Amino acid sequence: MLGVFADAHKVTKIHFYVQDIVSGPNQTVWEVARSNITSTSPTLFGLVRVIDEQMTAKPDANSKKLGQVQGQITFADFKEVAPLMNFNVVFKSGIYNGSTIWLLGRNPISQTYREYAIVGGTGIFRIARGYAITSIYSDDSAGHFVLEYTLYVYEVFGKSSQPSNM
């Protein structure tokens, strides 16, 4: 086990924007379930939503498309609007094309900056760890939010992190 910790690490910083559209014809966030108390809960407790959102290089929705952010949001806090976020960053262009990064964490809406754990990935990011910082870059009255993400991905290199041939 000590060999894993002795291996070299590479930190990759990845910056992008997510087009989060909560209403209208191009909606990217959909409610899929709710509990019998969600409608009376000030924190939306029991609400479950799924997302499939465009990841872009710039805040403008028409900028270069990098991929998708796909997953689920579960409101699971009685006292604070702080949903559990569980989603994949799916790269569909550039040097990371075909790779994914899995983000997981609590999203306290009242905070300007939120932090998620990077708990894995595929392709280039297999066995990746790290963290992501996100914030709302902009929003409009039509329900279109632009979210800004910066990921710090720690990739492990070395023979102990590679799959063995059986």
Side-chain angles (χ1 to χ4, degrees):
M1 188 70 169
L2 289 176
V4 172
F5 297 108
D7 289 338
H9 289 77
K10 175 185 173 191
V11 178
T12 301
K13 180 179 176 184
I14 302 171
H15 184 257
F16 57 86
Y17 297 86
V18 172
Q19 308 299 319
D20 183 49
I21 305 169
V22 298
S23 62
N26 298 315
Q27 189 170 337
T28 61
V29 180
W30 292 92
E31 181 178 318
V32 294
R34 62 176 40 227
S35 74
N36 59 355
I37 66 166
T38 300
S39 60
T40 59
S41 169
T43 64
L44 300 173
F45 185 85
L47 181 64
V48 179
R49 294 177 174 163
V50 293
I51 62 170
D52 185 4
E53 302 179 321
Q54 286 288 326
M55 179 174 47
T56 57
K58 304 282 182 191
D60 181 354
N62 295 317
S63 69
K64 181 180 178 183
K65 307 292 187 265
L66 302 175
Q68 301 292 118
V69 173
Q70 301 170 325
Q72 78 178 48
I73 303 165
T74 305
F75 292 77
D77 190 322
F78 280 120
K79 296 182 177 143
E80 181 181 5
V81 180
L84 167 65
M85 309 296 282
N86 174 9
F87 53 96
N88 286 302
V89 176
V90 181
F91 294 94
K92 294 187 176 180
S93 69
I95 62 172
Y96 306 131
N97 186 26
S99 296
T100 66
I101 295 174
W102 182 23
L103 302 178
L104 181 64
R106 190 170 180 270
N107 184 6
I109 301 298
S110 63
Q111 294 181 7
T112 302
Y113 297 98
R114 296 91 182 237
E115 183 174 332
Y116 305 127
I118 294 174
V119 295
T122 63
I124 293 172
F125 301 112
R126 184 181 299 144
I127 311 176
R129 296 290 182 259
Y131 65 98
I133 303 293
T134 185
S135 64
I136 297 172
Y137 180 83
S138 67
D139 64 77
D140 66 20
S141 59
H144 182 180
F145 294 83
V146 178
L147 308 174
E148 184 173 16
Y149 281 79
T150 304
L151 280 57
Y152 298 90
V153 185
Y154 296 83
E155 303 165 70
V156 179
F157 294 96
K159 65 180 180 181
S160 58
S161 66
Q162 301 301 316
S164 61
N165 294 333
M166 295 187 157

